[in-house]
Structures are given as structure tokens and as C-alpha cells.
Amino acid sequence: MPELPEVETIVRDLARSLPGSTIARVEVLKPDLIGGDAAAFVRGLTSSRIRGVTRRAKNIVFDLGAHRLVVNLGMTGRLLMSGDAGEQPTHIGVTFRLASERTLVYHDVRRFGCLEYMTAGEWEDRETAFGPEPLSDDFTAAELYDLSRGSRVAVKTWLMDQRRVVGVGNIYASESLHRARVDPRRAANSLSRGDANAVHRAIRETLLEAIEFRGTTLLDYRDASGAPGGFSARLRVYDRAGEPCAVCGTAIERIVQGGRSTFFCPVCQS
Ligand SMILES: [Zn+2]
């Protein structure tokens, strides 16, 4: 499932090539991917000019002036420029033909993604429910510490709650806690101020490094040109059960928390 670095990588690519483009024609091949009425989606987007592409949480937001196209990739969604990525045509959900003759393709094998057309005001209302962006100044160690006081939930599960901070999913929660040397099973309210500082710093460092390496590909994620991310080889614990910890050499352990796999070093994170 794409997390913040993967979505950010796609957004940065699209933000370089799409602004100024006009959507000439929209074809919806899989209407179940559209949030709301597919005909209204097509009607609204046709002839719209793309002014910018940004990210909020794990949403890709196309600024169309008074309206927004909001794309959530779900588990396996991809946004690809040109559609020449050599994929099965059965998995193409929506195509956007641009006036410049290029095509933006939304492709999704499992179809948990969602594309929505809405007014700028509707999007603003939606946005207010999201937690702070982890790479913004709104996300501080002091606030992380204060919020954690009220919760006995395991810190790894707690971090993945999008109301605390957005975009930190299973991969980067495990990775950040290893960097911060915090046991993922600890209750959120057991963190000291020093622990909260370390977790805050580790989340930002991990996400920034993952963006620098264009995200993590385990199975499905591809960037806007169809290429896998380069961060997979730099994962310290995620999906590395039984392999030696890069810091101390102890075998990485896997446990299940909240139905999701957690990977950690039992020595560094004790
Ligand atoms: Zn270790």
C-alpha cells in the first residue's frame, strides 16, 4: 500500500509535467472507482485545466481552479503518464487524454482506490478532518508527546492513526521506531519526552530519506513513469524477519499488532 513517500514521489513527478495541461477527454472504464456519479465526474473534468498537483495525507490533489480532482490510490492504484507502462489493459480504470496528446492513466489491480471530483470548498471541508502533515511545522515533538498521554494503545498502532499524523503507515511506523530505538509494543503513554523527541525526529528522517529514494516498492507501487521505488533496499526492519539488525546483528523479529505485521530489533528496541 502506498504511504506518504510513494504518494509524494508521484505528486512531485506530476507537478513537474502536468500544470498548464487541459483535460480533453475522460474515459471511465471502471465506474466503481469513482466516488459519486461517473457521468458527472466525466462532465466536470472535461475541458478542465490543471493548475497544480499537490499531496494532502495520501491523497493526490489536482487543482482545477474552482474544483479539485482527488485521487486516493488505495492498495494498488497507480497514476502513470502516457499509458505505455506495459500493463494489462484490464486493470486500467480511468484515462485522462490531455490536449497535448499525452495521456494520464489510472490503473488499479485490486480497485480499492478512489477518484473524486468536487468543489474546492468541499475538499477544504474534507481536509480539516486530517491530522497534521509529518513534514510540516504543524507536527511537533511536544504535540506528539501531549497527544500520547491519553492512550495505552501500542505506540506503533497509535502512530498509524491518521488523526495523530497523516501518511505514516505500516512500513514507515516500523522503520521510524527502529531508528528511534523504541519498542513498538510499548503503550503510547509510556513514552518519555526524550522518546517522543526521538520518534518525531525518526519519522521525519525516515520519510525524507524515503522520498529522496523515490519510495518503497514491495509489490505494486510504481512512480508516475512506471518505475519501482529505490527505498526497499534501505529498509532496516520492515519485511526483514530473521535477517540481522544493521545496528547490532540480532535477528529482526516479526509480530502482529492490530492485524498488521510489525518488524523490530529485540535488542535495539528494548
Ligand atoms: Zn539491533
Side-chain angles (χ1 to χ4, degrees), residues 178 245 247-250 265 267-268:
H178 181 261
C245 168
V247 176
C248 74
T250 305
C265 170
V267 173
C268 290

Side-chain angles (χ1 to χ4, degrees), residues 42-250:
V42 171
R43 211 165 39 240
L45 286 168
T46 302
S47 304
S48 289
R49 189 166 157 272
I50 300 170
R51 299 175 184 215
V53 187
T54 56
R55 181 190 57 74
R56 177 72 173 102
K58 295 198 289 181
N59 299 285
I60 301 168
V61 184
F62 294 78
D63 178 356
L64 310 170
H67 290 84
R68 300 285 179 273
L69 166 63
V70 181
V71 179
N72 191 298
L73 301 172
M75 302 276 289
T76 56
R78 296 177 187 171
L79 266 177
L80 301 161
M81 283 306 299
S82 87
D84 57 4
E87 299 291 350
Q88 293 277 342
T90 48
H91 297 140
I92 293 176
V94 183
T95 59
F96 303 90
R97 302 202 188 278
L98 306 177
S100 59
E101 309 270 294
R102 292 178 304 164
T103 305
L104 176 67
V105 175
Y106 182 78
H107 173 281
D108 199 340
V109 175
R110 296 184 63 184
R111 280 152 65 182
F112 290 121
C114 185
L115 296 87
E116 291 175 275
Y117 177 75
M118 64 183 82
T119 66
E122 285 168 337
W123 171 242
E124 251 173 55
D125 290 346
R126 178 91 63 90
E127 245 193 317
T128 56
F130 296 151
E133 286 289 333
L135 300 176
S136 79
D137 294 341
D138 299 340
F139 176 61
T140 65
E143 181 152 321
L144 187 76
Y145 176 79
D146 290 345
L147 281 173
S148 66
R149 295 308 85 191
S151 179
R152 281 182 293 191
V153 171
V155 62
K156 188 256 187 171
T157 307
W158 187 83
L159 282 176
M160 288 172 61
D161 185 332
Q162 302 297 301
R163 290 170 299 181
R164 329 269 185 231
V165 58
V166 297
V168 180
N170 209 32
I171 297 173
Y172 298 107
S174 280
E175 290 296 306
S176 299
L177 289 172
H178 181 261
R179 286 192 194 216
R181 303 178 76 92
V182 168
D183 187 327
R185 297 166 294 187
R186 278 177 59 186
N189 67 4
S190 78
L191 295 182
S192 66
R193 281 200 183 271
D195 293 332
N197 287 340
V199 169
H200 176 261
R201 189 168 55 242
I203 288 173
R204 290 166 74 114
E205 283 176 1
T206 305
L207 293 175
L208 285 170
E209 193 180 317
I211 292 167
E212 188 187 333
F213 285 87
R214 304 185 58 78
T216 301
T217 295
L218 297 172
L219 288 172
D220 295 293
Y221 161 71
R222 296 291 183 276
D223 68 18
S225 67
F231 194 66
S232 320
R234 304 181 70 84
L235 294 172
R236 299 181 183 197
V237 289
Y238 191 84
D239 208 21
R240 301 183 72 98
E243 293 179 40
C245 168
V247 176
C248 74
T250 305

